[in-house]
Amino acid sequence: MTLALIDYGAGNLHSVANALKAAGARDIAVTADPDVVTKADRIVLPGVGAFGACASALRGIDGMVEALDQRVRCDGAPFLGICVGMQLMADAGEEMGEHLGLGWVRGRVKQLAPSDPTAKVPHMGWNDVHLTAPHPLVEPGEAYFLHSYAFEGEDVIATTDHAGPVVAAIARENLAGVQFHPEKSQRYGLDLLERFLKWQP
């Protein structure tokens, strides 16, 4: 089983690759090659930084968005987006202007606006993950978050609390995304990645 970990200069690739190996992945292709993506059995899209910069970097790789669309949306390969990689699944992001996402899940990525002014932004640290819908990948537990923007839209399966509900995970069919960092979430994160490696949507 080949897993494509997308390298577009905007992800914590080393840590994510190590976490995937610890979860049991054996054939990880860290790649910026669309041809590798179109042949991969599973795909992980990491992401750290600003939505617009990440979207631009992904689109800057000739053929990559088309390869992702083909393999994930047409062929149904299991897909996991992590942090900004999850946010890119949305229609658009509002960080430093309006930027188009992949448009895979209806919704927008907006700046966190906690109801309590003492709640700091960015939202950083360990927080409980609460399921809003059952899903084979995500379970209740505690995960590590680091973000200033969050998804608002459809297909939400889990939330966390940061002076109000914040989307922690989204999923539909063979698509899944988590706002938290599995690679920094110790056993909880490794268990999620292990389930992803076995997931048959």
Side-chain angles (χ1 to χ4, degrees):
M1 179 193 77
T2 304
L3 186 148
L5 179 59
I6 308 300
D7 179 4
Y8 61 115
N12 190 8
L13 291 171
H14 184 69
S15 294
V16 175
N18 283 343
L20 285 163
K21 288 174 186 173
R26 293 290 171 264
D27 190 2
I28 302 171
V30 179
T31 184
D33 186 344
D35 290 337
V36 173
V37 174
T38 59
K39 297 179 178 71
D41 297 302
R42 295 173 191 275
I43 296 168
V44 175
L45 181 66
V48 292
F51 183 104
C54 289
S56 178
L58 191 64
R59 289 193 168 91
I61 302 173
D62 190 39
M64 180 58 80
V65 169
E66 293 80 6
L68 286 168
D69 268 327
Q70 175 62 45
R71 192 69 188 117
V72 177
R73 299 184 80 187
C74 298
D75 300 345
F79 173 91
L80 178 65
I82 295 173
C83 197
V84 181
M86 180 201 97
Q87 295 179 0
L88 289 172
M89 297 164 68
D91 293 316
E94 299 179 1
E95 187 170 1
M96 293 186 287
E98 173 103 0
H99 307 278
L100 287 178
L102 292 168
W104 291 357
V105 179
R106 292 190 66 179
R108 300 176 70 81
V109 177
K110 301 182 179 182
Q111 187 167 18
L112 287 171
S115 59
D116 181 349
T118 66
K120 294 180 179 179
V121 176
H123 170 214
M124 180 171 62
W126 291 85
N127 256 80
D128 288 333
V129 175
H130 305 282
L131 290 188
T132 57
H135 193 272
L137 284 192
V138 181
E139 293 185 351
E142 195 177 22
Y144 186 84
F145 290 81
L146 175 55
H147 62 117
S148 299
Y149 286 73
F151 175 85
E152 296 181 13
E154 299 181 358
D155 300 309
V156 175
I157 61 163
T159 61
T160 191
D161 182 78
H162 188 60
V166 175
V167 172
I170 58 177
R172 186 186 73 248
E173 298 166 345
N174 60 307
L175 307 170
V178 293
Q179 181 61 65
F180 53 86
H181 288 273
E183 76 279 9
K184 296 180 180 178
S185 297
Q186 298 177 9
R187 189 69 252 170
Y188 177 82
L190 291 179
D191 286 347
L192 183 145
L193 294 176
E194 195 173 304
R195 290 191 293 273
F196 173 71
L197 294 174
K198 298 174 183 175
W199 187 33
Q200 300 291 340

